[in-house]
Every structure is written in structure tokens, then in C-alpha cells.
């Protein structure tokens, strides 16, 4: 067969979102059945997003309707939790949109509107936790002569071989954001993030005013991984990426390439810290005055530690992107 070899972008698109794809299969367990994101790790994450939403609300002058758009919403877990965490006066004015390629899960809060594309012309917060890493991209690898070529993959077993040289806009993207083969070394790899830049810019453009935030595992131009990051996940385990629809296919995001003017990139531990999430242990004295409160505070500190830990979720990057003519500054007590 001549068409059994495909570029990784096309192969992952089919494997994740094609008929019976990993993310869209009816009745599948959803992302939380295969890996743990910050959303599932602790309600403190949703609490921080609710706080950010409140800051944006203030900066926009407390409009009658405030949009909360979750792109790559999974099963709507973050939206449900933010609506629950926000003060009643605020949540009553929030219009919540889940943007997902998977179908609406049964039993979801009726206040959440389920859609395939973000609404346009809205004001508020657009949030995308671990969305961009699941936007399929092509992979490039240098051949024996140091020429960057597309990596082709076979759906049934994940075997790879090299295809045509990378040319045109993909080659321009590599040259600008992820230069390969400075010394002609063979076997260097890069994920060509151009489709992610495009979908992020389009998502930001749907906001008339407010803040767009993408949270993902990321790398920057000064420290790209030499052999790329493409991998698979199934049932909580990292597995070899085979684009047959049985596992997640993901790669870290070049978030600096996605950033538009005015953006800020910061580690999750810093972003959550600015939003009041702290892993500080409660004072021991509380244990004798109010033991139940002490245990609650201790457990909260443990969850905050997981969300902000180095080498784990705390290393995720937040890309904050103000939108509109008089946008909020960013995040934090004195920000948005
Ligand atoms: C890793 S999951 C993250 C789910 C959730 N945000 C969380 O943090 O738990 C990525 C989700 O993005 C969705 N997704 C990928 N591309 C999308 C697109 N273009 N539009 C809407 N959803 C998309 C997938 O279907 C999947 O549910």
C-alpha cells in the first residue's frame, strides 16, 4: 500500500479526532480516564481560575454578562468547578462555554453551553488547559546529510521513516522557532508548532476584551529538546506513540511561538502563587484550637504543593494574552 505512511499531523488528527478517535469515541472515559491534569488534581486550581475571572470582571467594570470560555474542555470539569467556586453574584452573570470536539457528557450543568468553536465577540476569560499539546503537528527529523525531513508514521504499529524535505512555511517556522541541525547532525527532531500558533491566534481573536490563558507543558527557543517530545499516554501510563486511536498523542508546546504582542509566559507555580494558592502549612496551634480546620488546611497545602511542585505540574507554563483595546494587565493581585 502506498498510503499507509502519513505525516504525524495527519496521523494524529485521525487517531485522536477521526471516526472512533481517542478523544471523540462515544462512551470513552474522557481525558481524566487516561491522565491527571491540574483540573483533576485539586479544586484549588478551579478556585484560582475563579479568582482570575473575578479580577477580569473588575477590570471590565463588572459587565452584565461575562464570558468564561474553556477550550479543550474535556468533560466540562473545570467549568463546573469554577461556577461552583465563584461568588454567587459573579457566577450569576457568567456565561460558560465548553469548546470541545468530544460530545457533551450527560448530566452536565445546564448553564454550560457545549460547542465546537469558541463564541466570537465576547468579553471575559478564555482558558485552555492542556489543549494545545493535543493540536496535532508534523514532526521533522534531520537525515544523514543534516537535511530536515518530515517524519512519516504507520498507523498500525507506529513505525517511522523519513519523507520529503521540510519546505515552505514549515521550514520558515523551524528556522525561526526551532532551528535543526546546526552542525548537520543526523537524528535531531522537532515538532513543527505552526498549527498551534494558528489555532491560538484564532481563539484569542474571538475575545473582544479580557484575557486568554493557555496552560501547557512547554519549552522555549533557548532550550528546545534535541529529539522532540512526541509521546503517548494510555490509562495513566506513558506509552510509545502509535496513532491507532488507542492512546493519547501529545507533544510539548512551543508557547513562545504562540505568544502574541503583550503576552506573558510564566511557570504555573508563579501564576498560582499570584492567584493566592500557597503550599504553606497551617500553624500548629490551629490543631488544638480547631482540629477539623487544621486537617482541612493541611490537605489544602498538600494539594497546593502538587499543583506548584517543581518537576511536575508546577513546571507547566501559563501563556497569558490580554485582548481588546484596553485589556487587563495579566494575572495577579495587582494585575487583571
Ligand atoms: C488533554 S485534554 C484536556 C482536558 C481539560 N482541559 C483538562 O485540563 O482536564 C485535551 C482536550 O482538548 C480537546 N480538543 C483538542 N482539540 C480541540 C479543538 N480544536 N477544539 C476543541 N477541543 C479540542 C480534546 O478533545 C480533549 O478533550
Amino acid at each position: 500500500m502506498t498510503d499507509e505512511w502519513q505525516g504525524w499531523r495527519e496521523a494524529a488528527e485521525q487517531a485522536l479526532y477521526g471516526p472512533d478517535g481517542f478523544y471523540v469515541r462515544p462512551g470513552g472515559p474522557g481525558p481524566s480516564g487516561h491522565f491527571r491534569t491540574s483540573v483533576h488534581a485539586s479544586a484549588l486550581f478551579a478556585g484560582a481560575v475563579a479568582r482570575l475571572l473575578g479580577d477580569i470582571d473588575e477590570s471590565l467594570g463588572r459587565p452584565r454578562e461575562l464570558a468564561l470560555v474553556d477550550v479543550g474542555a474535556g468533560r466540562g470539569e473545570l467549568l463546573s468547578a469554577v461556577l461552583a467556586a465563584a461568588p454567587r453574584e459573579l457566577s450569576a452573570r457568567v456565561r460558560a462555554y465548553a469548546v470541545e470536539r468530544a460530545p457533551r457528557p450527560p448530566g452536565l450543568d445546564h448553564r454550560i453551553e457545549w460547542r465546537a468553536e469558541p463564541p466570537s465577540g465576547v468579553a471575559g476569560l478564555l482558558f485552555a488547559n492542556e489543549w494545545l499539546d493535543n493540536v496535532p503537528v508534523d514532526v521533522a527529523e534531520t537525515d544523514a546529510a543534516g537535511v530536515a525531513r518530515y517524519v512519516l508514521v504507520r498507523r498500525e504499529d507506529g513505525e517511522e521513516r523519513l519523507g520529503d524535505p521540510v519546505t515552505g512555511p514549515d521550514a520558515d517556522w523551524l528556522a525561526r522557532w526551532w532551528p535543526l541541525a546546526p552542525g548537520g547532525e543526523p537524528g535531531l527532531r522537532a515538532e513543527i508548532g505552526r498549527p498551534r500558533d494558528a489555532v491560538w491566534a484564532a481563539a484569542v481573536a474571538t475575545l473582544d476584551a479580557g484575557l486568554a490563558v493557555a496552560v501547557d507543558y512547554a519549552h522555549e527557543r533557548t532550550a528546545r529538546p534535541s529529539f522532540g517530545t512526541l509521546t503517548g499516554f494510555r490509562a495513566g501510563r506513558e506509552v510509545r506513540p502509535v496513532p491507532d486511536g488507542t492512546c493519547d498523542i501529545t507533544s510539548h508546546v512551543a508557547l513562545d511561538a504562540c505568544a502574541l504582542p503583550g503576552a506573558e509566559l510564566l511557570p504555573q507555580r508563579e501564576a498560582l502563587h499570584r492567584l493566592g494558592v500557597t503550599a504553606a502549612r497551617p500553624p500548629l496551634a490551629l490543631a488544638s484550637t480547631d482540629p477539623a480546620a487544621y486537617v482541612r488546611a493541611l490537605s489544602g497545602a498538600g494539594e497546593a504543593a502538587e499543583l506548584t511542585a517543581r518537576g511536575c505540574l508546577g513546571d507547566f507554563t501559563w501563556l497569558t494574552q490580554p485582548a481588546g483595546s484596553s485589556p487587563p494587565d495579566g494575572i495577579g493581585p495587582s494585575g487583571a
Side-chain angles (χ1 to χ4, degrees):
M1 277 175 61
T2 51
D3 62 351
E4 65 177 339
W5 298 94
Q6 296 172 302
W8 266 108
R9 183 180 177 189
E10 190 186 353
E13 178 67 31
Q14 281 181 21
L16 299 182
Y17 310 114
D20 214 29
F22 178 80
Y23 276 118
V24 297
R25 210 171 10 246
S32 62
H34 291 278
F35 41 81
R36 185 173 160 87
T37 68
S38 297
V39 173
H40 312 114
S42 166
L44 292 176
F45 190 77
V49 175
R51 167 100 194 269
L52 178 58
L53 185 68
D55 291 344
I56 291 166
D57 183 47
E58 291 294 333
S59 80
L60 294 178
R62 299 160 61 89
R64 275 191 354 166
E65 185 173 294
L66 184 71
L68 173 59
V69 185
D70 185 2
V71 187
R75 293 288 191 266
E77 298 95 330
L78 179 64
L79 286 176
S80 303
V82 173
L83 288 173
R88 187 183 294 249
E89 189 283 320
L90 174 60
S91 64
R93 287 184 290 113
V94 167
R95 181 129 182 225
Y97 302 91
V99 182
E100 243 303 328
R101 297 182 74 165
R104 181 185 183 100
L108 186 70
D109 188 327
H110 70 276
R111 292 173 294 175
I112 298 173
E113 187 174 327
W114 198 263
R115 36 194 303 152
E117 298 290 336
S120 56
V122 296
L125 172 62
L126 181 144
F127 203 85
N129 190 63
E130 294 203 39
W131 166 43
L132 292 173
D133 67 283
N134 280 133
V135 172
V137 291
D138 273 317
V139 178
E141 182 176 321
T142 49
D143 65 12
V147 174
R149 292 179 175 273
Y150 289 104
V151 177
L152 305 181
V153 61
R154 194 162 56 192
R155 175 181 164 88
E156 64 201 40
D157 57 7
E159 277 302 304
E160 293 182 341
R161 72 180 192 196
L162 297 189
D164 290 337
V166 179
T167 55
D170 282 348
D172 295 343
W173 190 93
L174 284 181
R176 174 160 185 211
W177 292 110
W178 196 330
L180 279 178
E185 197 184 327
L188 299 174
R189 285 169 69 116
E191 288 106 26
I192 306 172
R194 215 162 59 82
R196 295 171 174 173
D197 302 358
V199 295
W200 177 246
V204 172
T206 63
L207 272 187
D208 268 359
L211 192 71
V213 180
V215 182
D216 238 304
Y217 31 105
H219 41 60
E220 294 191 33
R221 193 179 187 284
T222 46
R224 302 277 187 230
S226 303
F227 306 106
T229 59
L230 185 79
T231 191
F233 280 94
R234 183 189 302 119
R237 290 226 162 77
E238 188 163 4
V239 296
R240 184 165 163 265
V242 178
D244 61 0
T246 66
C247 64
D248 185 22
I249 306 282
T250 169
S251 56
H252 296 202
V253 183
L255 274 179
D256 52 347
C258 297
L260 300 164
E264 183 184 16
L265 290 165
L266 70 168
Q268 171 151 305
R269 75 183 74 84
E270 165 73 17
L272 290 182
H273 182 68
R274 288 194 205 170
L275 291 167
V277 176
T278 159
R281 291 170 68 92
L284 204 52
L286 188 63
S288 43
T289 55
D290 187 345
Y294 178 76
V295 170
R296 269 199 311 277
L298 204 55
S299 139
E303 291 177 12
E306 182 182 0
L307 288 174
T308 56
R310 286 182 194 277
C312 195
L313 294 172
D315 287 344
F316 273 51
T317 301
W318 284 43
L319 164 62
T320 67
Q321 186 74 61
S325 51
S326 53
D329 294 336
I331 64 165
S334 60

